[in-house]
Amino acid sequence: NEQLAIPQLRQSSYRHETPPTNPSRRCLHLGYFGGKRLHKISWSAPKPSPLTRSAPMAKLAIFFTLTLSLLPFLSHSFSPDTPTDRRILVLLDDFSLKSSHSIFFTSLKSRGFDLDFKLADDPKLSLQRYGQYLYDGLILFAPSVERFGGALDVAAVLDFVDSGHDLIVAADTTASDLIKSVATECGVDFDEDPSAMVIDHQGYAVSDVDGDHTLIAADELIRSDVILGKTKIEAPVLFKGIAHSLNAANTLALKVLSGSPSAYSANPSAKLSSPPSLTGSAISLVSVVQARNNARIMISGSLDLFSNRYMKSSVQKAGSPSKYEKSGNEQFVTEVSKWLFHERGHLKAGNLRHLKVGETGEPAMYRIKDDLEFYVDIFEWSGNSWEPYVADDVQVQFYMMSPYVLKTLSTDKKGLYHTSFKVPDVYGVFQFKVEYQKLGYTSLSLSKQIPVRPFRHNEYERFIPTAFPYYGASFTTIFFFYLFVFFLVIKTRFAGALQMAGFFIFSVVYLYNNRMVGRPPFSIL
Amino acid sequence: MASPESAVNGPTMTAGAASKSLRNAFGGVIAFIILVLIGVLAFSIRLFSVIKYESVIHEFDPYFNYRVTQFLSKNGIYDFWNWFDDRTWYPLGRVIGGTVYPGLTLTAGTIWKVVNSLNIPLSVETVCVFTAPIFSAFASWAAYLLTKEVKGPGAGLTAAALLAMVPSYISRSVAGSYDNEAVAIFALVFTFYLYIKTLNTGSLFYATLNALAYFYMVCSWGGYTFIINLIPMHVLLCIVTGRYSSRLYIAYAPLVVLGTLLASLVPVVGFNAVLTSEHFASFLVFIIIHVVALAYYIKGILSPKMFKVAVTLVVSVGLAVCCAVIAILIAVVASSPTKGWSGRSLTLLDPTYASKYIPIIASVSEHQPPTWPSYFMDINVLAFLVPAGIIACFMPLTDSSSFVILYIVTSVYFSGVMVRLMLVLAPAACILSGIALSEAFNVLTRSIKFQLPGIAGNPSIASEENGSSTVVAPNDIPKTEEAAKEKPAKKNRKKEKENVEKKPTPSKTEKRLLVLPLEASVIAVLLLVLLGAFYVVHCVWAAAEAYSAPSIVLTSHSNDGGLHVFDDFREAYSWLSHNTDVDDKVASWWDYGYQTTAMANRTVLVDNNTWNNTHIATVGTAMSSPEKQAWEIFHSLDVKYVLVVFGGVVGYPSDDINKFLWMVRIGGGVFPHIKEPDYLRDGQYRIDAQATPTMLNCLMYKLSYFRFVETDGKGFDRVRRTEIGKKHFKLTHFEEVFTTHHWMVRIYKLKPQRNRIRGKTKKSKSSRSVSSKRDVRGKRNPWH
């Protein structure tokens, strides 16, 4: 159901502020060989110089302009409407990794990604040109690189992430300070001991030939269908590399693959002199980070995890009777990369709207105790189209410094969420807030301001039943005052009768007026 | 507003007696012309601000009134009544219609509507700017009426002329000073006039008008409680001194009944008119006057002997009743929502109350007690004339003159409590000085007149008596006044008139006149004229130099005589209105709330209507907290921008650093983790190198002095006259977005939350801080 989804997503936290039809960006992406040239043309095309204003040249210019304006619709890249990454830069220590990790790369290519392999110290390395990013994702398979080539440095990588792009970092025992500092900036702390590896004397893989128990058959996976896919990963994941830990206060980072309780991080070739700093489940083997702008980062302590060798090898965890023909690596890596490149778990919400029950159109202000209905659309990106997101835990807050109303929204399974409630008996400037943070999904944070006013002067109850004695008292007073005047002051009978008649007429009119609620009967102001 | 007509007709109507009719008619015309001129004077002396600066709304509160008036003129009275304003006190909002005194707004709105319906296309702003001068003309006319009722038209004209240019009143009513007081002083004086008029005539018509004038006063200003306490005091005084009369009853009882009913119709007063202690005095006196009236009635119908028996009976019963009533009153006071007195009223009774318990009241500059020079500045020579006026009021002491004495005594007390209430003193001082001057001129000119050979023809010259004072016994003026008064007197007043008004008659027939030596009289007249001239010079100077600054535009004279204009406030507000989103919230100290909503049209957290102490304390706490905590407080309130006023560059003394201790106090009053001693070094407030770390790390310090050292290289603060303590620092949670030309207003934006949460290793810190430094450097330096 596309129609509901597209309009006005201004409030939702989208990764890209770039409007979907940005010609220069689309042109640049068109294959790496022709990008530069096409780009030049795109500069000259809209503004032909007076010298070339002959007919054929003009036609040519029109042709180019048309082509260029059409190109964006033919190309694929990341955008709020199609949030899956398309162009990925892979930085390698050396090109042999291209073949040794080909299964992983092939799976990416088969899913439609354009991979651009470069050496990490390539002097022409650059992530952006003319302020536009050339890539949507970055894979750092260069654990030992001390300095990136070209214009790339840690800050550039982090700016790349901060502008909403995705990142995979794989380290191993040779991990350089550069790679570690990238990880640290993302909230992942690698073990500071450069020679330490993850050792597990109980959870190692038995196929391991050398006996230092550094090849681990890890099966402590995060329980999240959205990150790891619906199919359960049966076989353990082979891991050989360094440990890292997450700060407990870091709400953005998640351990996807964590060490078993018996794992620890130490130098396998040296004797352990002091207790290891990282032990047990505090060790994370593979972590993912979802930044506040929903850029996704995967950090693995092992580059071999992605290798063909590990993917193909059979695995048996020590002490476990079941032996698997194939390790879980391929499934694990594929599923995590699907999540990472926004093929799964990417939500968009928008079209936040509300209306008073029985009315159409959005009011600018509510009154206390009004009944209102609230709607919001939430869709999930399936990799090639927006599908309705179905969940029973989306809530809306009616918020002024604290939530006054907290309601769970019900969905029609077509992406539309709805609820209705009564405005609380408090006036002020409220907000409709949808704060949806679910493990693995993009966090949704929408709000819309709406003031709530008190009753108008003529919206109060006209007659309060409990006050009838007082009404009676006041009218009796008026009545007896007139009697008093009649007997004491007014001497002639005629004048008195007139006065009495006037009083009764007055009372009747007054009472009649009061019936017509909605208009003040005798307002002095 | 009915004053011009009555003022015009007043003197002409009194011309009654046939023998003096021509002279009185002539005097009436002269008086009328003088009154018109006084009105013109009152209006035009207040235009200095427009001439010297421009036709703008001044200061803080007038901006709110202006905004409300705009709303009223656009949306009509019912929407105004029900206006819920969502742009102030975010996120609480404010019900403007129910919390504002509508008198001023309705007045200006009505003027605007009338003028526009006459096809005179004035803008709302123009009407608002000129409302105060117009009403000060009305006020001087009302002062004429009041003084005329007390001491005759001569004193009235003098008082009106004095009031037209008294500096104290000018300070609140220059063109552009569109505040409640501008119309309230007129309403106050006019209400007093109608009360005296009713007291003198005993007419129910004037009593009703009095209640309506009181209603207008209630609509206009919270100072109406002064009326509703002063009049009962006067009534009580009259009763105690044995001056009870049916005129007193007519002047008082309808005012209390009708006045209270009408006052409770004003939304902001509502049930306060019967619930709060400020009004209880009037009810108590209301009961007393009825008891007294009953006693007089019974005394009239009983024989003296029977009356004595009745008195003993009543006194015994009455004591019991009194005890019961007092018990009830105490119960009512104890159960009333504010436990009796509201904070501001308690401040009046106990001047130290506010500074002890309510920092938010004590922090307002106009709530401070005045200094002696400010008396001389604000009422000038009137301070010396007032005692003479008081003496004149005692000769003879009438109901009306005793009221004026009571008025001056109470207002002198109140003005000593709060500098703002100097404004209530000013009319009283003018009236009494008017009486004093007029009496003095009377004596002196008559002395001259009797001794000049050509004119001396009056046979009724009595022997010369060497009085010790220059003040005289009753003369012609009160006599004609009483004659005029007796004319409309009703038959029922005939018998009780003996009580009061026949007392001065023996002295009247005696016709004692004091005649001073001719030379002394001439010199005294000249000296008095000179005194008046000094007063005029002072008033014009005060109007032109001291009280015409609009305070949103500042000027200074450079050494070579050039004029330098500081228009930073409007620069900042217009930056806000052009560069921020409509729904963005701006946090600042509450002083700038009204201006921000009116000029920048942005939502503010707190404003000058300080109704919610907690909310103000929240902002105060944020300003006194370190950056991170402040960011969290502001972020939780959806604040996008923070505005601070900083005078260190140009030496503007009323900036936020100088107000900062109040923020600490008010914040600490609600959030005890903010402690005032943390910001003081040995009890001294300082911002130099000796300042406490808490002070140097609080948000207000950082926002004020961020990049300040770049201006002169040393960071020398020209207000505090010292070098600042911490010169080079970076902001982590805020970024500077705008600083005005003279650095007087600085606007910061809250940085968004970090995109990532860093790990704990600090190794790669340098690479990030480089980029953040680059951001700061990239900003335009507004100083250069």
Side-chain angles (χ1 to χ4, degrees):
Chain A
N1 194 340
E2 278 288 323
Q3 277 195 324
L4 276 171
I6 294 165
Q8 291 164 16
L9 292 159
R10 196 175 301 156
Q11 301 225 351
S12 63
S13 52
Y14 267 108
R15 306 183 15 165
H16 280 273
E17 294 300 321
T18 325
T21 50
N22 186 339
S24 64
R25 181 185 160 141
R26 303 306 164 90
C27 294
L28 281 172
H29 134 262
L30 267 190
Y32 7 96
F33 60 91
K36 206 171 177 180
R37 205 174 140 213
L38 268 175
H39 186 74
K40 272 187 179 168
I41 294 167
S42 79
W43 280 113
S44 63
K47 209 173 159 188
S49 71
L51 284 175
T52 58
R53 206 177 277 162
S54 58
M57 282 307 283
K59 266 185 191 166
L60 202 65
I62 289 167
F63 170 75
F64 269 118
T65 319
L66 274 178
T67 322
L68 287 170
S69 57
L70 282 175
L71 276 173
F73 300 104
L74 306 172
S75 64
H76 311 276
S77 77
F78 191 98
S79 79
D81 290 335
T82 56
T84 299
D85 293 343
R86 291 296 159 194
R87 303 157 307 169
I88 294 164
L89 176 67
V90 185
L91 292 184
L92 306 170
D93 268 343
D94 63 282
F95 279 122
S96 66
L97 280 171
K98 212 169 154 181
S99 54
S100 66
H101 293 61
S102 61
I103 297 180
F104 174 60
F105 295 134
T106 318
S107 92
L108 287 182
K109 274 181 193 156
S110 69
R111 299 210 309 265
F113 295 100
D114 298 326
L115 299 185
D116 187 3
F117 295 95
K118 289 208 171 137
L119 282 177
D121 47 6
D122 186 339
K124 281 185 292 195
L125 218 51
S126 175
L127 282 174
Q128 56 178 333
R129 182 178 296 152
Y130 306 123
Q132 300 286 334
Y133 279 105
L134 303 169
Y135 306 99
D136 302 322
L138 176 64
I139 298 178
L140 283 179
F141 276 2
S144 59
V145 66
E146 292 291 342
R147 265 184 72 89
F148 292 120
L152 202 61
D153 58 2
V154 178
V157 171
L158 294 167
D159 283 343
F160 183 70
V161 171
D162 287 345
S163 55
H165 299 93
D166 306 314
L167 175 68
I168 297 179
V169 180
D172 62 11
T173 42
T174 63
S176 65
D177 281 350
L178 180 74
I179 294 297
K180 282 182 178 176
S181 70
V182 169
T184 304
E185 287 296 331
C186 298
V188 168
D189 301 310
F190 278 109
D191 194 343
E192 283 174 36
D193 182 358
S195 55
M197 289 179 79
V198 187
I199 304 169
D200 192 341
H201 295 306
Q202 290 185 343
Y204 61 92
V206 287
S207 57
D208 195 5
V209 277
D210 33 53
D212 60 0
H213 296 168
T214 51
L215 180 64
I216 292 161
D219 52 4
E220 305 259 333
L221 295 162
I222 193 171
R223 280 192 210 90
S224 167
D225 283 354
V226 65
I227 296 175
L228 293 180
K230 290 209 165 54
T231 348
K232 194 171 182 295
I233 299 174
E234 298 286 344
V237 177
L238 285 173
F239 179 94
K240 181 174 187 170
I242 57 176
H244 62 259
S245 63
L246 303 179
N247 185 356
N250 190 340
T251 50
L252 303 176
L254 298 170
K255 291 176 197 165
V256 180
L257 186 65
S258 43
S260 74
S262 56
Y264 65 97
S265 170
N267 186 351
S269 51
K271 210 166 160 76
L272 208 56
S273 56
S274 57
S277 55
L278 282 175
T279 55
S281 335
I283 291 179
S284 176
L285 306 176
V286 178
S287 299
V288 292
V289 177
Q290 181 167 268
R292 291 211 166 86
N293 63 353
N294 290 326
R296 289 173 177 176
I297 302 157
M298 175 187 183
I299 291 165
S300 164
S302 163
L303 178 58
D304 293 339
L305 186 86
F306 300 89
S307 68
N308 296 355
R309 194 160 65 87
Y310 280 27
M311 286 184 188
K312 283 180 187 152
S313 75
S314 60
V315 61
Q316 184 183 9
K317 193 179 176 180
S320 162
S322 47
K323 184 175 164 73
Y324 300 92
E325 278 305 306
K326 204 162 162 277
S327 72
N329 284 37
E330 184 172 356
Q331 193 188 353
F332 174 77
V333 164
T334 312
E335 294 298 332
V336 174
S337 72
K338 274 184 184 170
W339 176 84
L340 191 92
F341 294 125
H342 296 271
E343 286 170 74
R344 211 168 34 219
H346 187 95
L347 300 179
K348 76 166 177 185
N351 212 359
L352 206 76
R353 57 206 185 278
H354 52 86
L355 45 91
K356 208 166 156 180
V357 170
E359 286 183 9
T360 53
E362 208 165 271
M365 189 182 260
Y366 284 106
R367 195 199 67 191
I368 54 171
K369 295 181 177 172
D370 267 349
D371 290 302
L372 63 85
E373 292 185 38
F374 174 81
Y375 301 91
V376 65
D377 297 332
I378 304 178
F379 291 90
E380 185 182 4
W381 179 248
S382 70
N384 41 33
S385 67
W386 288 103
E387 301 294 336
Y389 176 67
V390 180
D392 57 357
D393 52 4
V394 185
Q395 291 183 319
V396 64
Q397 302 172 27
F398 200 56
Y399 182 94
M400 181 179 76
M401 295 204 278
S402 60
Y404 279 75
V405 173
L406 182 61
K407 289 274 271 193
T408 306
L409 298 168
S410 57
T411 176
D412 65 349
K413 308 221 192 288
K414 287 174 187 160
L416 180 66
Y417 284 77
H418 159 255
T419 191
S420 60
F421 57 88
K422 191 187 268 295
V423 176
D425 192 3
V426 178
Y427 55 80
V429 184
F430 281 82
Q431 282 173 316
F432 291 105
K433 267 194 176 182
V434 177
E435 297 275 353
Y436 189 64
Q437 273 146 1
K438 197 173 178 181
L439 184 69
Y441 286 96
T442 51
S443 53
L444 299 177
S445 175
L446 282 80
S447 67
K448 195 171 206 178
Q449 182 175 315
I450 184 83
V452 174
R453 64 169 173 84
F455 285 117
R456 284 175 66 89
H457 67 277
N458 53 4
E459 284 172 340
Y460 290 97
E461 270 179 293
R462 179 58 69 195
F463 286 110
I464 310 168
T466 44
F468 272 115
Y470 297 97
Y471 304 146
S474 56
F475 282 112
T476 319
T477 312
I478 296 171
F479 178 72
F480 280 100
F481 178 72
Y482 271 87
L483 274 190
F484 174 78
V485 171
F486 179 68
F487 282 118
L488 267 109
V489 181
I490 296 165
K491 298 287 189 273
T492 67
R493 188 166 292 187
F494 174 71
L498 210 63
Q499 191 110 27
M500 295 303 285
F503 165 65
F504 279 117
I505 290 166
F506 172 82
S507 318
V508 166
V509 168
Y510 186 80
L511 284 175
Y512 179 75
N513 265 347
N514 276 348
R515 288 274 157 66
M516 302 168 71
V517 180
R519 196 189 317 145
F522 294 102
S523 81
I524 304 218
L525 265 180
Chain B
M1 273 180 282
S3 67
E5 281 76 28
S6 47
V8 168
N9 294 335
T12 50
M13 295 282 265
T14 51
S19 60
K20 295 180 185 170
S21 66
L22 191 67
R23 222 179 88 191
N24 280 359
F26 188 62
V29 171
I30 294 275
F32 173 72
I33 292 169
I34 291 174
L35 277 177
V36 169
L37 288 177
I38 286 172
V40 171
L41 170 70
F43 183 81
S44 51
I45 200 172
R46 286 165 169 83
L47 299 186
F48 277 111
S49 60
V50 173
I51 294 161
K52 287 186 71 179
Y53 296 89
E54 55 189 301
S55 175
V56 282
I57 309 281
H58 289 196
E59 294 192 319
F60 306 105
D61 289 23
Y63 268 96
F64 170 73
N65 297 326
Y66 169 52
R67 182 163 163 258
V68 173
T69 314
Q70 272 183 319
F71 185 89
L72 171 71
S73 59
K74 205 178 288 169
N75 299 26
I77 186 161
Y78 280 102
D79 278 344
F80 165 55
W81 184 6
N82 292 303
W83 185 17
F84 174 72
D85 186 4
D86 58 346
R87 303 199 79 78
T88 59
W89 292 95
Y90 181 85
L92 306 169
R94 179 182 171 196
V95 186
I96 299 276
T99 55
V100 79
Y101 285 100
L104 174 76
T105 319
L106 290 179
T107 308
T110 314
I111 295 175
W112 178 80
K113 207 162 191 181
V114 168
V115 163
N116 271 274
S117 65
L118 296 174
N119 280 332
I120 304 171
L122 288 181
S123 69
V124 178
E125 191 182 8
T126 316
V127 172
C128 291
V129 164
F130 291 103
T131 299
I134 291 172
F135 270 79
S136 48
F138 291 168
S140 44
W141 290 333
Y144 163 75
L145 292 173
L146 173 57
T147 322
K148 197 188 72 157
E149 280 303 311
V150 178
K151 278 284 172 186
L157 286 175
T158 324
L162 292 176
L163 184 68
M165 50 189 174
V166 63
S168 168
Y169 187 28
I170 286 179
S171 74
R172 286 311 186 120
S173 63
V174 292
S177 181
Y178 178 57
D179 210 348
N180 287 338
E181 289 92 333
V183 297
I185 292 303
F186 157 70
L188 181 86
V189 178
F190 195 62
T191 310
F192 286 154
Y193 156 67
L194 285 169
Y195 170 70
I196 298 293
K197 186 80 181 171
T198 320
L199 196 59
N200 283 343
T201 58
S203 148
L204 258 180
F205 171 69
Y206 282 113
T208 317
L209 279 189
N210 188 20
L212 289 176
Y214 172 67
F215 175 57
Y216 184 65
M217 178 69 191
V218 178
C219 281
S220 303
W221 195 32
Y224 75 91
T225 48
F226 182 63
I227 296 182
I228 204 62
N229 283 304
L230 181 63
I231 290 180
M233 273 167 76
H234 179 244
V235 170
L236 204 61
L237 184 79
C238 286
I239 290 171
V240 169
T241 52
R243 288 170 166 274
Y244 171 78
S245 64
S246 61
R247 289 174 292 111
L248 187 69
Y249 183 84
I250 288 168
Y252 186 66
L255 174 68
V256 171
V257 176
L258 287 178
T260 306
L261 279 176
L262 289 171
S264 60
L265 290 177
V266 181
V268 63
V269 178
F271 281 107
N272 285 350
V274 288
L275 283 181
T276 55
S277 310
E278 288 99 324
H279 305 80
F280 283 170
S282 64
F283 300 136
L284 190 67
V285 173
F286 187 67
I287 295 168
I288 290 171
I289 200 171
H290 276 91
V291 172
V292 173
L294 188 69
Y296 271 85
Y297 176 71
I298 290 169
K299 195 177 177 184
I301 58 171
L302 289 183
S303 63
K305 204 177 172 191
M306 283 291 284
F307 183 68
K308 241 169 213 171
V309 178
V311 164
T312 46
L313 193 75
V314 166
V315 163
S316 50
V317 176
L319 272 179
V321 173
C322 274
C323 290
V325 167
I326 288 169
I328 289 169
L329 268 182
I330 290 171
V332 168
V333 168
S335 68
S336 76
T338 53
K339 275 275 173 286
W341 298 78
S342 67
R344 266 166 235 247
S345 313
L346 275 173
T347 317
L348 295 180
L349 296 178
D350 173 11
T352 58
Y353 176 85
S355 55
K356 269 189 274 181
Y357 303 110
I358 317 171
I360 201 144
I361 292 180
S363 70
V364 181
S365 62
E366 59 185 24
H367 291 168
Q368 306 296 323
T371 53
W372 279 114
S374 71
Y375 276 96
F376 188 74
M377 176 71 196
D378 275 358
I379 56 176
N380 201 245
V381 301
L382 305 187
F384 310 115
L385 290 171
V386 163
I390 293 175
I391 294 168
C393 280
F394 273 105
M395 303 182 157
L397 187 68
T398 59
D399 289 351
S400 45
S401 65
S402 68
F403 177 78
V404 173
I405 293 167
L406 202 62
Y407 179 23
I408 186 83
V409 169
T410 47
S411 60
V412 163
Y413 173 73
F414 287 134
S415 72
V417 175
M418 252 190 215
V419 71
R420 181 159 77 142
L421 294 179
M422 195 78 103
L423 199 57
V424 177
L425 170 68
C430 290
I431 288 163
L432 281 164
S433 310
I435 291 169
L437 272 182
S438 152
E439 293 289 310
F441 274 121
N442 237 328
V443 172
L444 297 170
T445 48
R446 205 177 43 228
S447 300
I448 295 168
K449 188 167 130 190
F450 280 126
Q451 292 178 36
L452 282 179
I455 307 166
N458 201 326
S460 63
I461 306 171
S463 63
E464 212 170 282
E465 279 182 17
N466 290 327
S468 56
S469 74
T470 57
V471 186
V472 287
N475 48 46
D476 291 354
I477 310 282
K479 212 167 49 180
T480 54
E481 195 51 38
E482 272 169 23
K485 242 183 285 166
E486 278 163 31
K487 194 156 55 81
K490 303 243 160 59
K491 41 198 176 301
N492 60 344
R493 275 183 49 223
K494 279 274 164 64
K495 53 179 185 283
E496 50 88 13
K497 208 167 49 183
E498 272 100 330
N499 298 335
V500 192
E501 296 192 1
K502 290 298 173 190
K503 274 174 192 163
T505 39
S507 60
K508 218 193 293 177
T509 49
E510 201 178 305
K511 209 81 172 155
R512 290 179 303 143
L513 284 172
L514 290 173
V515 179
L516 293 169
L518 181 65
E519 300 77 20
S521 306
V522 172
I523 289 169
V525 166
L526 285 177
L527 285 177
L528 279 180
V529 169
L530 202 63
L531 188 72
F534 276 130
Y535 176 72
V536 172
V537 168
H538 172 80
C539 289
V540 173
W541 172 81
E545 296 295 327
Y547 290 137
S548 286
S551 96
I552 54 158
V553 185
L554 307 165
T555 55
S556 77
H557 292 278
S558 55
N559 290 333
D560 54 353
L563 190 72
H564 198 84
V565 178
F566 301 93
D567 203 359
D568 285 35
F569 287 105
R570 290 194 291 184
E571 186 188 349
Y573 293 131
S574 86
W575 185 89
L576 274 178
S577 70
H578 286 106
N579 294 284
T580 59
D581 193 63
V582 178
D583 280 333
D584 281 348
K585 283 86 194 167
V586 181
S588 65
W589 190 233
W590 57 262
D591 296 28
Y592 315 105
Y594 277 164
Q595 292 182 347
T596 311
T597 39
M599 283 198 260
N601 192 22
R602 291 296 172 266
T603 310
V604 295
L605 296 190
V606 292
D607 66 24
N608 309 45
N609 174 267
T610 50
W611 66 273
N612 189 323
N613 191 27
T614 313
H615 219 51
I616 292 180
T618 309
V619 175
T621 306
M623 294 295 190
S624 5
S625 301
E627 236 181 297
K628 188 166 185 290
Q629 281 87 321
W631 185 91
E632 278 159 12
I633 293 171
F634 282 143
H635 185 71
S636 71
L637 290 167
D638 301 321
V639 170
K640 268 273 195 58
Y641 296 92
V642 182
L643 179 150
V644 294
V645 172
F646 173 61
V649 174
V650 289
Y652 171 66
S654 54
D655 65 350
D656 277 347
I657 289 284
N658 275 2
K659 292 171 185 169
F660 180 61
L661 270 194
W662 290 113
M663 302 182 203
V664 174
R665 273 175 209 157
I666 293 169
V670 177
F671 303 100
H673 69 276
I674 302 288
K675 294 183 194 71
E676 193 181 336
D678 291 346
Y679 297 84
L680 302 174
R681 172 76 70 194
D682 304 327
Q684 268 190 320
Y685 179 59
R686 52 202 308 171
I687 43 97
D688 55 8
Q690 298 293 308
T692 60
T694 322
M695 179 69 212
L696 294 180
N697 284 315
C698 72
L699 184 71
M700 182 49 77
Y701 180 90
K702 285 193 165 182
L703 298 192
S704 289
Y705 291 117
F706 179 61
R707 294 198 307 111
F708 177 54
V709 72
E710 291 171 27
T711 55
D712 58 355
K714 293 201 307 275
F716 185 79
D717 186 323
R718 290 176 62 185
V719 175
R720 267 65 59 175
R721 308 213 158 275
T722 175
E723 271 186 39
I724 59 171
K726 194 165 152 188
K727 294 174 185 174
H728 304 277
F729 55 87
K730 285 194 280 288
L731 297 175
T732 53
H733 289 75
F734 294 84
E735 59 178 327
E736 185 187 5
V737 286
F738 186 67
T739 295
T740 55
H741 184 65
H742 302 99
W743 284 54
M744 277 167 62
V745 184
R746 313 195 68 183
I747 300 171
Y748 292 83
K749 190 177 183 177
L750 270 76
K751 281 187 184 165
Q753 231 172 344
R754 294 182 73 103
N755 190 34
R756 294 161 282 108
I757 301 175
R758 287 188 64 245
K760 46 181 176 265
T761 323
K762 302 285 180 201
K763 245 184 246 170
S764 61
K765 198 180 172 185
S766 55
S767 63
R768 287 310 290 161
S769 60
V770 165
S771 68
S772 67
K773 204 185 287 171
R774 190 184 57 214
D775 292 346
V776 175
R777 290 270 162 79
K779 288 277 158 338
R780 186 177 70 96
N781 181 357
W783 183 247
H784 299 296

